[in-house]
Amino acid sequence: SQQGEEDPQALSIQEGENATMNCSYKTSINNLQWYRQNSGRGLVHLILIRSNEREKHSGRLRVTLDTSKKSSSLLITASRAADTASYFCATSSGTYKYIFGTGTRLKVLA
Amino acid sequence: SQTIHQWPATLVQPVGSPLSLECTVEGTSNPNLYWYRQAAGRGLQLLFYSVGIGQISSEVPQNLSASRPQDRQFILSSKKLLLSDSGFYLCAWPRGGNYGYTFGSGTRLTVV
């Protein structure tokens, strides 16, 4: 069953703007991860946030986690055309497997 | 260095033909390994995972099977492909810590 659901499904912004995408999940988690997928390629791990963390930064990425609302957000600041990709959240409940959401397709217009 | 290899990159197979996709990892031992499938424009569906040689867990009943003949090798197979088996197949390996999964480059399978 699908654990994470990203929102919006698609997002189109101008270069330099910020992009925010959200992920909601259903069950308790140990950690939540965000991945990027360029068209036709494998996924690349961006950032991991643990259930006892509320915010995490990596370069132009900022991830928040609200376990009470079972949701997370990924903010990409000062977006670039190279950020055009699909973004997925994945959750782990302490087992060996991660469950992925359906993804947000981000298009950054130059 | 720790790397994951997956091949072939693309494959076009007729309905009813067999399938064998291979995934190998380097630079680690006794890794957990995973097969995911991604339908066009969709999210990832977990198919199989393995925590060791000969240990396979199946997540969804389907026309596919997996095997772990060696510590660093994970194989996805089918005896007879269906049209619905078309998709993008990804092998993944959790590196632990804050690194999440490392994914292979994927195999684009088209069943015709």
Side-chain angles (χ1 to χ4, degrees):
Chain A
S1 64
Q2 209 71 34
Q3 164 77 312
E5 295 288 338
E6 287 90 343
D7 157 57
Q9 291 186 345
L11 181 61
S12 186
I13 60 174
Q14 294 292 326
E15 205 167 28
E17 293 180 339
N18 296 341
T20 300
M21 50 205 91
N22 305 294
C23 169
S24 59
Y25 55 92
K26 298 175 183 175
T27 62
S28 297
I29 61 171
N30 275 9
N31 66 69
L32 183 144
Q33 302 174 33
W34 285 92
Y35 290 81
R36 183 186 71 229
Q37 183 181 34
N38 291 93
S39 180
R41 308 290 294 275
L43 279 74
V44 174
H45 178 254
L46 296 176
I47 198 165
L48 179 153
I49 187 166
R50 301 186 188 283
S51 60
N52 61 352
E53 297 176 308
R54 291 297 167 260
E55 187 170 312
K56 207 162 182 180
H57 297 254
S58 177
R60 294 184 295 112
L61 306 180
R62 184 179 80 122
V63 169
T64 62
L65 179 64
D66 186 336
T67 52
S68 67
K69 295 181 179 178
K70 292 187 171 56
S71 67
S72 173
S73 67
L74 171 67
L75 168 67
I76 304 174
T77 60
S79 62
R80 306 165 182 169
D83 294 327
T84 294
S86 291
Y87 292 81
F88 295 87
C89 67
T91 54
S92 167
S93 301
T95 61
Y96 291 111
K97 56 190 181 184
Y98 286 89
I99 307 298
F100 284 78
T102 52
T104 291
R105 295 186 305 280
L106 173 66
K107 188 169 185 178
V108 181
L109 304 170
Chain B
S1 62
Q2 297 171 325
T3 57
I4 182 167
H5 301 279
Q6 193 179 336
W7 67 92
T10 59
L11 198 56
V12 180
Q13 292 283 99
V15 169
S17 64
L19 173 73
S20 180
L21 303 181
E22 190 161 342
C23 171
T24 59
V25 296
E26 294 179 1
T28 187
S29 59
N30 197 32
N32 295 334
L33 295 171
Y34 301 77
W35 279 111
Y36 283 87
R37 177 172 61 198
Q38 185 178 31
R42 305 289 297 278
L44 277 71
Q45 179 187 35
L46 178 61
L47 303 177
F48 301 96
Y49 69 95
S50 171
V51 300
I53 295 173
Q55 300 181 64
I56 307 294
S57 294
S58 173
E59 287 298 298
V60 291
Q62 56 201 319
N63 186 43
L64 301 169
S65 63
S67 61
R68 181 89 176 260
Q70 299 180 43
D71 181 42
R72 295 174 226 179
Q73 184 184 34
F74 199 23
I75 297 173
L76 183 69
S77 305
S78 174
K79 292 181 180 178
K80 290 185 178 182
L81 284 169
L82 306 172
L83 287 174
S84 58
D85 292 324
S86 293
F88 191 48
Y89 289 83
L90 290 156
C91 182
W93 159 47
R95 293 176 60 190
N98 291 323
Y99 297 108
Y101 274 155
T102 294
F103 279 88
S105 52
T107 295
R108 174 85 50 200
L109 172 66
T110 303
V111 182
V112 296

